[in-house]
Amino acid sequence: MEKTIDNAKKRNRFRKFLKKLHRYRIYLLMLLPAVIYTLVFAYYPMTGIVLAFKKYTYAGGIWGSAWNGFENFKFFFQSGQAWMVTRNTVLYNIAFIIVGTVTQIAVAVFLTELKCRKFRTVAQSMMFLPYFISWVIVGVMAFNLLSSDYGFVNRIITALGGEKISFYTKGQYWPLILILFNVWKGVGYGSVMYLAAIMGVDTSIYESAAIDGCNVFQRIFKITIPSIMPTVIILFLMSVGGIFKGNFDMFYNLVGNNGLLYNYTDVIDTLTMRALISSNDFGMSAAIGLYQSVLCFITVMIANKLVSLYDKDYTLF
């Protein structure tokens, strides 16, 4: 008897499911292209992680090549570069996140506090422009600024009586250089989200604060920043998810294949590219990529857990 009732309930649930499918068939058809795109270009390529555990050959392909266990990982960790590129990737991304977030929030607050609308529009457009410039062009700009012979910076130094600095042979300068270029290129685009969040704050709160005699700094630190904190935390979590992903375009176009700078500028992505091009070793490149992805996943989980301890409403899941 109970089995018959359970079967009847299952049939009822299935009928309701079919009715919902029929009712929302237009929406589901509209969603179908996006689902297919995601499956083909996001999930299907993930099957390629098997290369990390294989000795790839062109004749065998991805599925026909022989398994070699953890040999690809062993080679990566025994190369002596694993710790260096991991350290550089993490430290650079931490610096990018902290400096970038502070700068973007400051720019967004600055733009909202400007009274002259025309100047605000021009300033926002000028700060937004670098985002559309290719890193290839930025690399050329950096060379024209930092070159020992023709660089604008060295010309200023010599004009002031100083000695030229060989930026492309001294790695200690590059952490600051990379951070500055990263902030310069991304501050305009990154400030848009914070600007939108600030615009969503109830204006009556600012009016009440003005009546109570709050100055501009009290308004910023007591109203604006606390009001956009949920947005800050969400964007921070999304940034943390890529903390082990180096900005390959930036590092490669600014540094290139300059071995003198590798100790200061080499990240996981650039090492992976060189491993693939120089040794044509698909297995080791896949192993480095898998190592990178696992670290990203662990970082997101840890960051999400820490945020949940602060406020569960701010977490991603």
Side-chain angles (χ1 to χ4, degrees), residues 109 113 213-222 224:
V109 171
E113 293 296 329
C214 288
N215 58 40
V216 62
F217 295 104
Q218 290 174 326
R219 190 166 64 243
I220 291 170
F221 289 103
K222 298 294 185 180
T224 303

Side-chain angles (χ1 to χ4, degrees), residues 188-207:
Y189 180 81
S191 63
V192 171
M193 293 296 294
Y194 299 112
L195 193 61
I198 293 173
M199 293 298 182
V201 179
D202 190 354
T203 55
S204 62
I205 301 176
Y206 291 111
E207 293 170 358

Side-chain angles (χ1 to χ4, degrees), residues 33-49 293:
V35 172
I36 294 174
Y37 178 88
T38 304
L39 290 174
V40 172
F41 292 101
Y43 285 93
Y44 177 70
M46 289 175 64
T47 59
I49 63 174
S293 299

Side-chain angles (χ1 to χ4, degrees), residues 146-161:
L146 306 174
S147 171
S148 299
D149 298 324
Y150 310 106
F152 180 71
V153 174
N154 274 313
R155 288 191 177 186
I156 293 177
I157 293 174
T158 53
L160 295 175

Side-chain angles (χ1 to χ4, degrees), residues 4-20:
T4 304
I5 294 173
D6 290 339
N7 290 333
K9 288 181 178 178
K10 289 179 181 179
R11 285 194 295 270
N12 288 333
R13 285 197 296 265
F14 184 69
R15 289 194 193 98
K16 289 180 180 178
F17 174 72
L18 291 177
K19 287 181 180 179
K20 286 184 178 180

Side-chain angles (χ1 to χ4, degrees), residues 81 84-85 87-88 92 171 258-266:
Q81 296 177 300
M84 181 192 71
V85 295
R87 177 202 64 199
N88 288 348
Y92 272 118
N258 189 344
L260 297 173
L261 305 179
Y262 283 166
N263 286 339
Y264 293 89
T265 62
D266 209 14

